[in-house]
């Protein structure tokens, strides 16, 4: 996959989701631009998803980061699992988010999370434990991403914790049991 997506010796920041304004794509591009000015490390933003790519490319061109972004259309889940493994950190810049299944996927892949403190995200991601939660400021988002890029040992430690957390709290058996309990409660 590294060869297919032309990923060299770069630190990969991964976003998976729709490419639309409410998902915070412009915020992410601004933050990535700031990150590239504030770190000496080579970084690549890997974006997996469908949506308005023209607007994304225009913004990236304006911010002078177009050559540091790899855009991948929707892929099969087995390929997506491998893509999660290529990254150092997963980012969810959504301005509005209910649950965020991609958060759990990234955590199951052993990745630290950087996300906005909105909607249901703080129920899954605990600041300083599973990753970093930030407000909607691009500089703050860039700093959180920079932390994990420049502290790979901490990123791995949090990633291991995330893998364990997802296995313990969101496995199929436990999820099925919780769903069954909801049905029983409603029926009673």
């Amino acid at each position: 996959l590294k060869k297919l997506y032309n990923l060299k010796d770069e630190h990969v920041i991964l976003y998976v989701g729709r490419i639309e304004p409410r998902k915070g794509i412009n915020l992410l591009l601004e933050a990535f631009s700031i990150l590239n000015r504030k770190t000496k490390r080579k970084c690549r933003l890997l974006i997996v998803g469908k949506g308005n790519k023209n607007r994304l490319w225009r913004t990236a061109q304006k911010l002078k980061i177009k050559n540091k972004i790899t855009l991948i259309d929707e892929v099969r889940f087995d390929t997506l699992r491998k893509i999660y493994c290529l990254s150092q950190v997963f980012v969810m810049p959504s301005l509005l988010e209910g649950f965020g299944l991609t958060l759990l996927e990234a955590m199951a892949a052993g990745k630290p999370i950087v996300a906005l403190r909105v909607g249901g995200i703080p129920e899954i991601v605990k600041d300083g434990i599973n990753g970093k939660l930030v407000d909607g400021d691009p500089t703050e988002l860039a700093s959180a991403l920079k932390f994990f890029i420049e502290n790979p040992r901490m990123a791995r430690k949090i990633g291991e914790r995330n893998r364990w957390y997802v296995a313990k709290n969101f496995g199929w058996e436990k999820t099925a049991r919780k769903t069954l309990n909801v049905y029983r409660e409603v029926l009673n």
Side-chain angles (χ1 to χ4, degrees), residues 18 47 70-71 89-90 105 109 116-117 125 130 134 143 146 151 154 167 178-179 186:
R18 297 241 354 117
I47 298 175
T70 300
L71 188 55
V89 60
F90 179 80
E105 291 171 352
L116 265 60
R117 192 180 283 111
V125 179
N130 306 98
V134 299
S143 293
K146 183 176 185 267
N151 294 285
M154 181 60 76
K178 284 181 175 182
T179 304
V186 169

Side-chain angles (χ1 to χ4, degrees), residues 29-91:
L29 295 176
E30 286 179 55
F32 186 69
S33 175
I34 294 167
L35 171 67
N36 275 282
R37 290 191 307 268
K38 289 191 171 190
T39 186
K40 291 177 179 26
R41 311 228 175 162
K42 291 181 185 177
C43 296
R44 173 146 306 265
L45 179 57
L46 190 53
I47 298 175
V48 180
K50 288 186 172 185
N52 187 343
K53 295 171 184 73
N54 293 332
R55 183 183 297 160
L56 182 148
W57 286 127
R58 281 194 306 272
T59 303
Q61 181 94 28
K62 192 167 57 175
L63 293 169
K64 297 179 174 73
I65 55 172
K66 189 174 178 182
N67 64 335
K68 296 176 186 230
I69 296 174
T70 300
L71 188 55
I72 303 170
D73 275 330
E74 233 175 354
V75 294
R76 293 182 13 202
F77 187 71
D78 58 327
T79 303
L80 183 59
R81 280 189 17 225
K82 294 172 186 172
I83 290 171
Y84 278 114
C85 294
L86 294 175
S87 67
Q88 277 70 52
V89 60
F90 179 80
V91 61

Side-chain angles (χ1 to χ4, degrees), residues 1 9 19 24 39 66 72 75 96 112 117 120 132 157 162:
L1 282 178
D9 293 330
I19 299 168
T39 186
K66 189 174 178 182
I72 303 170
V75 294
L96 177 66
R117 192 180 283 111
K132 291 190 174 281
K157 182 178 176 182
N162 285 349

Side-chain angles (χ1 to χ4, degrees), residues 85-117:
C85 294
L86 294 175
S87 67
Q88 277 70 52
V89 60
F90 179 80
V91 61
M92 181 178 271
S94 291
L95 306 173
L96 177 66
E97 193 69 43
F99 182 74
L101 187 58
T102 56
L103 288 175
L104 293 182
E105 291 171 352
M107 291 168 78
K111 302 302 164 187
I113 307 295
V114 174
L116 265 60
R117 192 180 283 111

